[in-house]
Amino acid sequence: MTDTGADDTRIATLDVLRGVAVMGILTMNIVAFAMPEAAYANPRAFGGDTGADLAAYLVNFVLFDAKMRGLFSLLFGASALLVMDRAEARGANPDAAHYARMAWLFIFGLAHLYLLWWGDILHHYALIGLVLPLFRHWRARWLASVALLLLSVQFLLLAAVPLDIASLDAALAQGQAAPAAAIERRAAYEENFGAPPRRAIAAELAVYRGDYAGTLRHRLATHGDTPGSLLGYVGLETLAYMLIGMALLKAGMLQGAWRPSHYRRWAVIGFGIGVPGYAALGHYLVTMKFSAVAVALAVETLSLPLRLPMIMGWASLIILAAQRWHLLAGRVAAAGRMAFTNYLMTTLVCTTLFNGYGLGFYGQLSRAQLYAPVLLLWLLMLGASQPWLSRHAYGPMEWLWRSAARAKWQRWRT
């Protein structure tokens, strides 16, 4: 997300990258909009784990899952640095400008999280963004070094989960008497990474097929602690990607300033490492029939070292494509300039489409069928963003965020 506006010099490649990220992140978010939460990581939990549904899961796992979120985080860090630098250039306090943006983003994110959808990422970015001014003047190599250290620590923290599941399974398989707390912990792991009991799935279906008041009560009860839990779960990883985004902006990569051969090299390296690695993990998941320990190990832990190469590969490939396909790049860049608006728009459309207080398609479509509305939403973003920006200085939410952060109504029309 960024509120860099029409009165600032746009960096076209940043807008294109952001446009791809906001469109790509929907490939995974659509599952969270349309199905019980456990289906997000495990197709055995709901939505189908055979045929076209399994293929849809594996394609997303290999190409999009966590990569688009990572790209989004990377761009957030780069945009934050850009906004601080530009604030200083116009004589404003860069830290004050940044913290005002984060404060309002946190407010918007909490409203999105509690009133509309449990999968909000905005509040999380705002919290992580609070520390970014500390790194603003660091050299690119030091930013990258700290980011790699953070990712290493994140990997060790995540590795504790499949190890704990495996140890619990081994103890239970040997018939050892397990304390109630251990049994409860194992059941929680099954609900998060495995296939929850049918009664749990049925209860969640009933909630989201019901009225708005019921979904609101459920969301507040089950996700009231999301800001803290998400911070503890992926906070280090998110910060790492933001720092890498700052480093890549300093290095000129995100501006499209590298030679095409450098982008091609990084695309080959990124996909050459990531695709075979993710494909091997996907094969392991299928072989293990998506057991809880397999999902925790492959989806959450072993995939982490592969994400950064894939993110770099995606960024390089997108920049290369933008330099050749100018017409499409212009459409995608417009979607990126309105990333905040488009992100919230997908929530409004999808909650209306799937929830019971809307059209009520929650849990009615298979995993493969969900990509019909994804394609329609992509067409909506590409079709509406550019015409809007031809008449307006900002997207609606970008305008509101910028106005609130600057405590002054911003220009509406171009």
Side-chain angles (χ1 to χ4, degrees), residues 88-352:
E88 186 174 58
R90 67 173 183 268
N93 185 316
D95 291 349
H98 175 75
Y99 288 128
R101 294 177 69 243
M102 295 303 99
W104 280 104
L105 186 63
F106 185 68
I107 292 170
F108 291 139
L110 287 185
H112 182 224
L113 169 67
Y114 293 131
L115 299 180
L116 294 175
W117 180 51
W118 61 266
D120 173 76
I121 198 70
L122 304 178
H123 74 280
H124 180 63
Y125 283 178
L127 289 174
I128 298 296
L130 293 177
V131 304
L132 293 182
L134 300 176
F135 301 95
R136 180 182 164 218
H137 297 295
W138 286 32
R139 293 183 178 181
R141 69 177 65 181
W142 285 106
L143 290 169
S145 298
V146 171
L148 293 177
L149 177 61
L150 291 172
L151 290 174
S152 299
V153 175
Q154 182 78 75
F155 177 82
L156 294 176
L157 294 174
L158 291 174
V161 175
L163 289 174
D164 192 34
I165 298 175
S167 64
L168 289 171
D169 287 347
L172 293 173
Q174 294 173 7
Q176 298 178 8
I183 295 175
E184 183 178 346
R185 191 166 77 249
R186 182 60 183 84
Y189 282 139
E190 191 64 29
E191 291 207 9
N192 286 321
F193 302 109
R198 289 186 178 180
R199 64 181 182 278
I201 295 294
E204 195 168 349
L205 290 172
V207 166
Y208 284 101
R209 289 172 178 172
D211 58 18
Y212 176 79
T215 62
L216 178 61
R217 286 193 300 269
H218 177 78
R219 193 158 47 243
L220 294 175
T222 58
H223 294 286
D225 64 345
T226 288
S229 62
L230 193 60
L231 197 63
Y233 193 56
V234 293
L236 296 180
E237 181 184 3
T238 303
L239 177 57
Y241 295 145
M242 289 184 184
L243 295 182
I244 290 170
M246 295 171 75
L248 293 176
L249 188 72
K250 289 174 180 282
M253 187 269 191
L254 296 178
Q255 297 93 315
W258 289 4
R259 291 197 296 269
S261 60
H262 286 180
Y263 290 111
R264 285 194 292 269
R265 184 180 304 119
W266 273 106
V268 170
I269 292 172
F271 285 103
I273 293 173
V275 171
Y278 269 99
L281 292 179
H283 181 266
Y284 167 73
L285 286 168
V286 174
T287 302
M288 297 298 292
K289 298 181 180 179
F290 293 95
S291 67
V293 67
V295 171
L297 181 62
V299 177
E300 301 295 330
T301 306
L302 295 181
S303 63
L304 180 61
L306 302 173
R307 288 174 199 163
L308 184 55
M310 285 287 285
I311 293 167
M312 288 294 296
W314 268 117
S316 299
L317 185 63
I318 293 164
I319 291 172
L320 284 171
Q323 293 172 346
R324 298 191 60 174
W325 301 331
H326 300 292
L327 183 61
L328 179 59
R331 290 279 179 177
V332 177
R337 285 182 60 186
M338 291 179 54
F340 192 8
T341 296
N342 283 324
Y343 178 74
L344 295 180
M345 179 272 294
T346 59
T347 293
L348 292 174
V349 171
C350 288
T351 53
T352 300

Side-chain angles (χ1 to χ4, degrees), residues 24 26-28 30-31 54-67 278 367 371:
L26 184 59
T27 61
M28 290 304 300
I30 193 68
V31 178
L54 177 60
Y57 175 90
L58 292 175
V59 168
N60 272 312
F61 176 67
V62 172
L63 295 180
F64 301 109
D65 182 26
K67 295 81 166 173
Y278 269 99
R367 186 176 295 266
Y371 293 94

